[in-house]
């Protein structure tokens, strides 16, 4: 038996972690055996000293997928919130997880620049952006996500959770 993988992807500042934590709490109500993995937390946990260049990011994305696979194979649901900018990684996920649910949080760049919680986009105006996905590193947008949420700030993270629950009704019943 295999758990579900909820792969929540989007650019930095899109709201992945906020929405993912809400989803985690909702699933935990009916299924306490669940694991939450966030890209920033994963880098810390892996003692990752690699940078943010394209190949280093690809290695980190595959590492996240493989860790998710180890956990999912133990019948534990996983919510993984990651930039996950590579088609090849998402394709690997689709081939290796029978219960793979890809959720793309899409936000226009001008809104991400305004949010800029981590200060990643502030260098754009000054021409100092380096290794920022969607700015100077090409983003491979998900081509066929199971759910695309346009998080332009017109609705709350709780509304995004409602969209996820509507798309995946088995979550509410602990499936």
């Amino acid at each position: 038996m295999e758990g579900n993988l909820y792969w929540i992807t989007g650019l930095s500042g899109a709201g992945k972690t906020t929405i993912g934590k809400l989803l985690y709490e909702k699933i935990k109500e009916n299924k306490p055996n669940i694991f939450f993995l966030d890209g920033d937390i994963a880098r810390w946990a892996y003692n990752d000293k690699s940078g943010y260049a394209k190949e280093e990011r690809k290695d980190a994305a595959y590492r996240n997928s493989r860790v998710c696979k180890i956990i999912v194979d133990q019948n534990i649901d996983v919510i993984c919130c990651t930039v996950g900018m590579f088609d090849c990684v998402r394709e690997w996920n689709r081939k290796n997880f029978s219960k793979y649910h890809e959720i793309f949080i899409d936000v226009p760049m001008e809104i991400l620049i305004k949010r800029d919680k981590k200060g990643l986009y502030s260098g754009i105006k000054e021409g100092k952006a380096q290794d920022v996905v969607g700015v100077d590193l090409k983003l491979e947008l998900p081509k066929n996500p199971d759910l695309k949420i346009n998080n332009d700030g017109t609705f709350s993270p709780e509304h995004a959770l409602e969209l996820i629950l509507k798309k995946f009704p088995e979550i509410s019943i602990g499936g």
Side-chain angles (χ1 to χ4, degrees):
M1 201 157 183
E2 182 179 272
N4 292 282
L5 173 58
Y6 298 94
W7 186 265
I8 302 176
T9 187
L11 290 173
S12 181
K16 300 178 301 293
T17 300
T18 301
I19 294 166
K21 285 180 180 177
L22 289 172
L23 179 59
Y24 172 84
E25 292 301 326
K26 182 63 178 176
I27 293 173
K28 196 170 179 86
E29 290 174 5
N30 295 307
K31 188 175 183 182
N33 208 9
I34 184 165
F35 189 85
F36 181 81
L37 182 65
D38 176 78
D40 291 335
I41 294 168
R43 279 184 175 267
W44 173 85
Y46 307 147
N47 196 27
D48 194 349
K49 303 224 185 307
S50 63
Y52 291 88
K54 183 179 179 180
E55 288 306 312
E56 293 167 313
R57 286 178 175 275
K58 188 182 289 185
D59 288 345
Y62 273 120
R63 189 178 310 117
N64 288 340
S65 290
R66 290 188 302 268
V67 166
C68 289
K69 181 68 174 151
I70 292 167
I71 298 166
V72 162
D73 283 349
Q74 297 175 55
N75 195 29
I76 299 171
D77 287 355
V78 175
I79 298 167
C80 183
C81 302
T82 179
V83 172
M85 62 187 263
F86 301 100
D87 290 334
C88 59
V89 173
R90 291 187 296 266
E91 289 167 13
W92 188 92
N93 288 349
R94 289 206 183 275
K95 289 177 186 172
N96 289 280
F97 295 92
S98 62
K99 297 178 182 177
Y100 176 67
H101 314 287
E102 187 176 296
I103 302 164
F104 174 41
I105 311 296
D106 191 19
V107 180
M109 183 56 71
E110 59 272 8
I111 292 173
L112 292 173
I113 291 169
K114 286 179 188 174
R115 289 181 187 166
D116 204 15
K117 291 181 182 178
K118 296 179 185 177
L120 295 175
Y121 302 110
S122 58
I124 293 172
K125 293 177 184 174
E126 302 163 10
K128 296 180 182 177
Q130 185 176 4
D131 294 336
V132 178
V133 178
V135 177
D136 63 335
L137 284 180
K138 183 183 175 209
L139 169 66
E140 296 173 0
L141 293 173
K143 294 179 180 43
N144 296 302
D146 298 303
L147 178 62
K148 179 180 176 182
I149 298 173
N150 295 308
N151 189 15
D152 60 4
T154 58
F155 57 81
S156 69
E158 290 78 13
H159 179 72
L161 176 62
E162 290 173 20
L163 295 173
I164 294 169
L165 296 176
K166 185 176 179 182
K167 176 66 180 177
F168 308 109
E170 67 275 7
I171 293 172
S172 296
I173 58 173

